[in-house]
Amino acid sequence: MRIGLGINYAGEFNDVADEVLDLEKAGLDIVFVPEAYSFDAVSALGYLAAKTDKIKLASGILQIYTRTPTLTAMTAAGLDNVSNGRFILGLGASGPQVIEGFHGVPYDAPIGRTREIIEICRKVWRRERLEHRGKYYQMPLTAEDGGTGLGKPLKLINHPVRERIPVLLAALGQKNVALAAEVAEGWQPIFFLPEKAKDVWGDAVAAGKAKRDPALGELDVYAGPALAIGDDVEHLLGFVKPHLALYIGGMGAKGKNFYHTLATNYGYGAEADRIQELYLAGDKAAAAQAVPDELARNVSLIGPKGFVAERVKAFEEAGATVLNVTPIADSKDGRIKQVELLRDLI
């Protein structure tokens, strides 16, 4: 298994880069740069490409609505170039709160758009003259499509380092997960619970793999547990619960919250209802307290070495190939130590 880590999108690039350099030496395989309503991910990824030598660099995630498909392809090719072939294109739909609230564009047809975007990206990377007549994207735009009719099929001027840059999809719903298993090199779920993963996502993954091009290779699965290895770390579950409460309780209205549905599918329906009720009422602290210890523990790697080793095995047996961890530590040295401890267990 490989180890990944997502940087804090609220941090400063210079400070983060210094820490990533040390994490690279500690054995970190992949660093993810998120993009929410923060600084853009591309600036940080380019900066990290110049600062690092071996570590893989992944967008985690670029939102599918905020760039044209061809700009996404150009950006990925550029980042792959400056990193000497170390870039992984993480894509995802984000959610209506960010896409409509911050960007002011409609949140519609995430599955259809994602499929077309990946198809377009791969044509661009192969330097084909771009002709695409999809439901959501048309290149060139004709007069019938609302354009001037003057557009011509063009191909990328530069020669990419690779004509197939790995694509990672962040996906949660059944159809999105099936799409990831069909067309992407990697799939990033959220709150991956090994013992329940097959029950919740097994059919979707199988359906996607049945249509998968063998040239894509095996599907990488990027689980994202919190990490704290030690003999007295049980209390650190308290750092995981607010994050779970935010998503289960606050990421969407009642009946329109993907993460609430996931917790329900994991068998925590009543608890998810209570978390959402408290969170939407404004009592975030109580919502966090309502998150079951069992749920927080089972989606995390928090405990003594022996326990974490058992959980790593459980993640691996459930199909995870990358542990994209969030070390719980109050210093850079502490976070690096956690990665070193995990590396020794893998």
Side-chain angles (χ1 to χ4, degrees):
M1 296 183 78
R2 289 166 289 161
I3 303 174
L5 181 150
I7 67 171
N8 183 353
Y9 50 67
E12 292 293 333
F13 289 169
N14 290 339
D15 296 338
V16 168
D18 289 341
E19 183 166 339
V20 169
L21 281 170
D22 290 332
L23 287 164
E24 184 177 39
K25 295 173 185 176
L28 190 71
D29 298 296
I30 307 167
V31 63
F32 284 78
V33 179
E35 186 174 78
Y37 40 101
S38 52
F39 288 153
D40 73 293
V42 177
S43 298
L45 284 161
Y47 190 79
L48 289 173
K51 290 284 188 177
T52 57
D53 296 313
K54 298 178 181 178
I55 197 168
K56 301 287 186 183
L57 305 172
S59 53
I61 51 154
L62 296 188
Q63 302 147 357
I64 63 170
Y65 300 97
T66 56
R67 297 169 176 87
T68 66
T70 41
L71 178 58
T72 297
M74 293 161 61
T75 298
L79 288 169
D80 206 45
N81 181 277
V82 297
S83 66
N84 295 315
R86 292 185 284 135
F87 181 60
I88 298 169
L89 176 59
L91 293 172
S94 187
Q97 289 177 312
V98 174
I99 299 305
E100 297 184 351
F102 191 69
H103 293 284
V105 296
Y107 184 90
D108 69 333
I111 297 171
R113 289 185 182 279
T114 299
R115 182 183 290 277
E116 289 191 36
I117 288 168
I118 294 172
E119 181 181 341
I120 292 165
C121 281
R122 288 175 175 158
K123 287 181 179 179
V124 171
W125 299 332
R126 292 192 298 264
R127 298 190 72 244
E128 298 177 6
R129 291 199 179 277
L130 188 55
E131 295 187 75
H132 179 86
R133 313 310 301 171
K135 181 177 180 180
Y136 304 102
Y137 304 102
Q138 300 82 37
M139 292 92 165
L141 197 66
T142 66
E144 290 76 14
D145 299 321
T148 64
L150 300 177
K152 296 180 179 180
L154 300 173
K155 65 180 180 181
L156 188 69
I157 294 173
N158 311 85
H159 289 260
V161 174
R162 295 178 289 176
E163 70 171 26
R164 173 162 278 171
I165 296 169
V167 174
L168 164 69
L169 289 186
L172 188 59
Q174 297 296 305
K175 292 181 179 179
N176 279 323
V177 172
L179 178 67
E182 178 188 349
V183 304
E185 281 85 357
W187 164 47
Q188 184 180 22
I190 192 170
F191 307 139
F192 189 85
L193 202 166
E195 289 78 9
K196 296 288 186 177
K198 186 175 181 180
D199 293 339
V200 173
W201 290 307
D203 289 345
V205 171
K209 285 185 174 181
K211 302 177 182 178
R212 186 176 181 83
D213 182 348
L216 289 172
E218 291 297 316
L219 179 70
D220 275 322
V221 179
Y222 294 72
L227 174 68
I229 302 172
D231 294 327
D232 185 24
V233 295
E234 180 76 6
H235 65 286
L236 295 179
L237 290 174
F239 286 84
V240 178
K241 290 184 176 185
H243 186 62
L244 284 163
L246 166 65
Y247 280 81
I248 296 170
M251 288 294 187
K254 288 186 178 180
K256 296 183 179 181
N257 183 318
F258 309 132
Y259 311 99
H260 179 281
T261 300
L262 177 61
T264 300
N265 290 338
Y266 278 165
Y268 297 97
E271 294 87 343
D273 288 345
R274 182 58 177 160
I275 293 166
Q276 187 176 61
E277 178 185 357
L278 290 166
Y279 203 97
L280 294 180
D283 196 344
K284 297 178 182 179
Q289 291 176 357
V291 174
D293 286 352
E294 182 183 58
L295 175 59
R297 183 179 296 109
N298 287 342
V299 299
S300 304
L301 295 174
I302 296 177
K305 285 185 179 181
F307 174 78
V308 172
E310 292 175 0
R311 294 308 295 160
V312 167
K313 184 177 180 181
F315 275 86
E316 186 173 17
E317 290 176 347
T321 59
V322 179
L323 295 173
N324 190 30
V325 298
T326 302
I328 303 176
D330 56 7
S331 68
K332 180 180 78 171
D333 289 343
R335 289 185 287 273
I336 292 169
K337 181 64 175 178
Q338 286 296 318
V339 170
E340 291 174 337
L341 289 171
L342 180 60
R343 173 57 67 195
D344 290 340
L345 297 179
I346 293 178

